[in-house]
Amino acid sequence: MKGTLFGVGVGPGDPELMTLKAVRMIRENEVIAVPGADVRETVAYKIAVQAVPELADKELLPIYMPMTHDADELERNHAKGAKTLESYLDQGRNVVFLTLGDPCVYSTFSYLQHRVEADGYHTELVSGITSFCAVAARLNMGLAEMAEPLHVIPATYKAEEMDELLKLPGTKVLMKSGKRLKKVRDSILRSGQNAVMIENCGMPEEKIYASAKEIPEEAGYYTLLVVKDKK
């Protein structure tokens, strides 16, 4: 029998936001994979080990997932990562792959999941709290009420495209904004809407910016903005 590959969300940063199921999956399985070259230096590991200290004694499997737009480099590393995971599954061992937030939302795990499934292996997902829900709770605000729409948008669009997206009714959640923050901020200011931003939500280095005018031109990778229509 081949093992099962589990994509397990560890939430956005605060270890207390890990689900009971995520904790149980880590405790019940011995092989724990993490996206990164050095497992103990990854954000996912640092979150999970606070909730499950025995994680430190598990068999830790680094899966390098580079942050690059080079299609060839991504292809090589995704293929290599999938084969590494499959080598453990072939032994009949389950592998728990830790991923930030929820594995269903812009997760690095999805690239590996597609490959492993295509090769005939079984995978399962364990949901985690998303970054944008954690941000809303941290700010003590609702994201959507009644029939108000909620849009989750990666901030990878050109300035004119972002201007149009910000015209959508309801609440806009802008993810992956760090390297494009000046462009995104300028679009928000042009739109005249309310905006708040959190960098590293739930982590020790968390920073909150309460308005679009406070948003800096640069920020780290774990940056998220919530844009709301003025009422």
Side-chain angles (χ1 to χ4, degrees), residues 132-208:
F132 50 90
C133 287
V135 163
R138 178 69 178 85
L139 297 172
N140 201 34
M141 63 185 288
L143 286 175
E145 300 175 10
M146 300 296 288
E148 185 180 27
L150 172 64
H151 310 277
V152 180
I153 303 168
T156 54
Y157 293 91
K158 296 177 181 178
E160 59 272 19
E161 295 172 323
M162 184 59 66
D163 288 347
E164 289 301 310
L165 288 167
L166 289 177
K167 293 178 182 178
L168 291 168
T171 301
K172 280 75 65 174
V173 171
L174 306 182
M175 301 183 68
K176 304 178 182 292
S177 304
K179 292 184 179 180
R180 302 170 178 82
L181 199 52
K182 183 180 184 302
K183 177 198 71 176
V184 172
R185 183 198 63 187
D186 291 346
S187 288
I188 295 170
L189 290 171
R190 285 193 294 270
S191 77
Q193 297 178 85
N194 296 314
V196 290
M197 175 183 128
I198 289 190
E199 183 180 4
N200 301 313
C201 181
M203 303 179 193
E205 59 272 31
E206 175 187 277
K207 294 180 182 178
I208 298 176

Side-chain angles (χ1 to χ4, degrees), residues 48-118:
V49 76
Q50 295 178 71
V52 192
E54 56 265 44
L55 171 59
D57 299 321
K58 300 284 185 176
E59 185 171 354
L60 302 174
L61 184 61
I63 303 294
Y64 180 54
M65 305 285 283
M67 291 185 182
T68 178
H69 294 293
D70 187 318
D72 290 336
E73 185 176 356
L74 289 172
E75 173 73 20
R76 286 194 303 272
N77 283 282
H78 292 166
K80 180 180 178 181
K83 291 302 180 186
T84 299
L85 294 170
E86 290 171 6
S87 69
Y88 284 81
L89 301 176
D90 283 336
Q91 300 171 34
R93 306 177 74 186
N94 294 336
V95 178
V96 169
F97 188 100
L98 304 183
T99 183
L100 289 174
D102 186 296
C104 305
V105 181
Y106 299 120
S107 172
T108 54
F109 177 73
S110 61
Y111 303 109
L112 300 169
Q113 181 187 19
H114 299 325
R115 290 177 177 274
V116 170
E117 286 182 343

Side-chain angles (χ1 to χ4, degrees), residues 3 5 16-18 30 40 82 87 101 118 121-122 131 134 150 164 178 180 187 191 200 212 226 230-231:
L5 174 63
E16 290 188 335
L17 294 181
M18 280 181 60
E30 288 304 314
R40 287 180 169 80
S87 69
Y121 299 85
H122 181 66
S131 58
L150 172 64
E164 289 301 310
R180 302 170 178 82
S187 288
S191 77
N200 301 313
V226 179
K230 286 188 174 180
K231 296 182 179 180

